[in-house]
Amino acid sequence: MDKSDVKEVIVEMAENAYAMGKISLPEYQKILEGCGRTLKPEISAEEFVAIRKKCHLSQAALGLKIGASVAAITKWETGKQKVQGPVAVLMKVIDQHGLEIIS
């Protein structure tokens, strides 16, 4: 395992910890910066929809899992509101590891 592999593991662990509320945003940013990365917590509306469908969830079911209203999910999926911050990170983690990561 070389240095870049170690950094990727650290970034993934930090991403998961942040998505689960175990570390704060400033802590997450500091870890990313230490690994030479910047925080880009944003996903497109299309990515959001694809992740939800990959998990075989309705908007309402996803909302219950992530603590968001159907109205918010509709805005994210239609592009009326950007998917950013903790929600974007959480959706990326769900995409990589499945819903089990938050259950």
Side-chain angles (χ1 to χ4, degrees), residues 20-102:
M20 294 185 303
K22 302 295 182 186
I23 61 173
S24 67
L25 180 58
E27 290 169 322
Y28 178 48
Q29 288 173 316
K30 188 174 182 176
I31 292 168
L32 290 180
E33 289 168 6
C35 291
R37 303 268 298 267
T38 58
L39 181 62
K40 293 188 211 172
E42 187 171 310
I43 61 173
S44 69
E46 294 79 13
E47 288 173 297
F48 189 93
V49 172
I51 295 166
R52 177 179 61 80
K53 288 183 176 181
K54 178 179 169 182
C55 294
H56 306 287
L57 294 174
S58 66
Q59 289 182 335
L62 178 63
L64 289 173
K65 293 276 188 187
I66 67 170
S69 68
V70 172
I73 291 172
T74 300
K75 288 178 185 176
W76 293 327
E77 290 190 351
T78 58
K80 291 181 180 174
Q81 186 173 342
K82 289 184 179 182
V83 184
Q84 54 190 11
V87 173
V89 173
L90 180 58
M91 291 303 287
K92 287 180 184 182
V93 170
I94 290 170
D95 187 36
Q96 290 175 355
H97 303 284
L99 283 171
E100 300 80 32
I101 197 81
I102 62 168

